[in-house]
Amino acid sequence: MSIPRVSSNGSSSSSGWKYEVFLSFRGEDTRKGFTGHLYTALTCKGINVFRDDKELEIGKPLSLELLDAIEKSRISIVVLSKNYASSSWCLDELIKIVECKSRLGQMVIPVFYDVDPAVEREQRGNFEEALTKQEEAFRDNIEKVETWRKALIEVINLPGWELKDRYESELIEDVVKEVRRKSSVSGSRLMNLKKVLVGGVSSCLEQLWMQAEIQRPRVQWNWRQSSIARTLIPIFFFL
């Protein structure tokens, strides 16, 4: 599978997400319906969402911009509609999403739109049928199809949301709540980490100060001008 890698350079870390949510979907299935309404609901809650509104030309690979957006998103929402696995572009997106989940800890929320997750997990539904057709189209590169299949199986086995016989608005409300919950949990973990780091730096500076007090009769020590302090103090501004 030859999907270009995007350089992280720290911007894909937990403190440098560019987007809160990346939406992966098959445009022909849900762009002007469910996914469009979900996008509006998320943005109305102040959630920064990347949604690709461009239709890729046949045979054209995913752009670096799109791959970069996936890598710099805290959460990926994968709208698994009936024809999702019929799109090689959607499947390429899925491979990148699974990679970011494993490598960067990205959270992934599958949404089963008019598909039965129980059937799909047994590989006897719409997705398996689509992948069988993909095998015919890519008979010279079966390895690629197997990579798609593995990524798809991993995502459909994650806890997700299902439309069933509910109103779409109810499903959208649940997904938005889940995104806000996951963002809140992730944010609180980051705050706890910052408290630990600040506490550790404070303790270190306190010990240095006590050492200076002990040595006061012999040494004039200005902690503000010390090399250690110049290293530690900027951490407070970063946090």
Side-chain angles (χ1 to χ4, degrees):
M1 189 68 226
S2 57
I3 294 181
R5 286 183 173 272
V6 180
S7 174
S8 298
N9 293 329
S11 60
S12 297
S13 67
S14 58
S15 60
W17 302 114
K18 184 175 181 181
Y19 304 101
E20 198 70 20
V21 170
F22 177 88
L23 281 177
S24 178
F25 60 97
R26 179 164 169 76
E28 293 178 13
D29 290 354
T30 64
R31 183 189 302 279
K32 296 180 180 179
F34 176 80
T35 298
H37 299 319
L38 175 60
Y39 174 83
T40 299
L42 288 166
T43 54
C44 283
K45 293 295 183 181
I47 297 169
N48 189 15
V49 183
F50 182 94
R51 175 187 61 176
D52 184 27
D53 283 323
K54 302 170 187 172
E55 290 289 352
L56 288 173
E57 297 175 11
I58 295 176
K60 187 176 180 180
L62 297 182
S63 67
L64 289 177
E65 177 190 7
L66 190 62
L67 293 170
D68 186 61
I70 295 173
E71 189 160 311
K72 293 179 180 177
S73 297
R74 184 196 299 262
I75 300 169
S76 276
I77 297 177
V78 184
V79 182
L80 295 165
S81 54
K82 289 182 178 179
N83 298 310
Y84 184 91
S86 298
S87 168
S88 59
W89 302 314
C90 289
L91 293 169
D92 281 345
E93 282 184 6
L94 206 60
I95 288 176
K96 185 66 178 178
I97 288 168
V98 168
E99 176 200 317
C100 291
K101 173 180 174 292
S102 173
R103 185 165 58 88
L104 302 173
Q106 183 182 97
M107 292 174 278
V108 181
I109 302 175
V111 177
F112 299 94
Y113 184 83
D114 275 348
V115 295
D116 187 340
V119 173
E120 300 300 341
R121 285 165 185 154
E122 293 176 2
Q123 299 181 51
R124 55 184 181 87
N126 293 284
F127 300 155
E128 187 58 31
E129 181 181 344
L131 288 171
T132 299
K133 292 180 180 179
Q134 296 282 20
E135 287 177 343
E136 296 174 4
F138 291 87
R139 61 172 60 92
D140 295 330
N141 193 357
I142 294 298
E143 183 181 342
K144 181 175 187 177
V145 181
E146 284 305 308
T147 306
W148 286 339
R149 179 177 276 107
K150 288 178 182 178
L152 191 56
I153 289 172
E154 181 168 345
V155 171
I156 65 178
N157 277 292
L158 293 173
W161 295 92
E162 185 180 357
L163 180 60
K164 291 185 177 179
D165 56 353
R166 296 189 296 165
Y167 289 110
E168 288 188 6
S169 58
E170 293 177 359
L171 176 58
I172 288 171
E173 184 178 353
D174 284 340
V175 174
V176 172
K177 286 180 180 178
E178 179 72 359
V179 169
R180 298 184 73 184
R181 185 187 70 80
K182 285 184 179 294
S183 298
S184 176
V185 170
S186 179
S188 65
R189 285 176 180 169
L190 182 59
M191 287 303 298
N192 288 337
L193 175 60
K194 288 183 177 180
K195 288 178 182 178
V196 170
L197 289 174
V198 170
V201 172
S202 299
S203 176
C204 183
L205 288 175
E206 185 178 349
Q207 290 181 27
L208 289 171
W209 180 260
M210 290 176 63
Q211 183 178 357
E213 287 294 312
I214 294 172
Q215 296 178 351
R216 182 181 292 277
R218 291 174 294 165
V219 180
Q220 287 263 328
W221 186 76
N222 188 339
W223 69 272
R224 288 185 177 84
Q225 295 178 358
S226 71
S227 60
I228 297 176
R230 286 198 301 271
T231 302
L232 293 175
I233 287 174
I235 294 177
F236 287 98
F237 294 95
F238 174 76
L239 295 171

